[in-house]
Amino acid sequence: MAQGGNKNSGRRAIIDMRPDKNEIIKDIVLGRRSMAEIARRLGVDYSTVQRYRDEKITEEMRREIMAETRIQGIEADTEIINQDRMDIAMTYESLARRVEKLITKAEQNEDDGFALAAMEGLRKVLRDIATMQGKLAQNLTVNVSLAESKEWVTLRTILQEVCDEVPAAREPLLRRMRHHVLSVSQESGDAI
């Protein structure tokens, strides 16, 4: 036990050998399934899954999965909104064509009163189309927090390692980051 008590340091974890490893990790991080359910599914003890969570799933992996999940949700919602926009636009265009046909038919039948009423209806439809297209043309904005980005988590880890190697670098680094209003604190309250 000269290796610090880790007798399994040469063995790969059972989850690492699975083809669905990434989905299992997502299940653990996102809580989509309980660890007991995951253990049952894999045919291992609960403590094996718990140990894997505690020893193998890094903070960077957690943040990346959380950010990816949020972005996927936003993309799915955006797709739904865009499809709804297309449906609305197609409905208004169809309505405008129908009103135009009514106007043409009324003019051919020399029914000026009906043609005038249809034109008023068409004017309203066209105004609604213009309003709707103006609303549809607005850009959707997606905000992703820098603290959740994989790059920032990696950079923060590198900065922490450098500050551990060169303790004198900690104070000037923090001073400059505060000057530029960059947060270096972690969720646990630790700072670089």
Side-chain angles (χ1 to χ4, degrees), residues 64-79:
E64 184 177 346
I65 289 168
M66 296 299 282
E68 179 183 304
T69 302
R70 286 182 186 138
I71 290 169
Q72 286 173 347
I74 291 169
E75 288 173 347
D77 291 345
T78 302
E79 182 60 34

Side-chain angles (χ1 to χ4, degrees), residues 15-16 18 20-33 35 38 41-42 49 52-53 56-58 60-62 64-66 69:
I15 293 174
D16 286 338
R18 304 246 335 163
D20 57 346
K21 168 188 165 182
N22 291 334
E23 285 305 308
I24 294 169
I25 292 171
K26 286 179 184 179
D27 286 346
I28 293 169
V29 171
L30 300 173
R32 297 190 298 201
R33 294 190 197 142
M35 289 199 298
I38 294 168
R41 194 175 128 232
L42 298 175
V49 177
Y52 187 86
R53 178 198 66 193
K56 299 283 188 171
I57 301 176
T58 65
E60 289 83 8
M61 291 168 72
R62 290 180 207 285
E64 184 177 346
I65 289 168
M66 296 299 282
T69 302

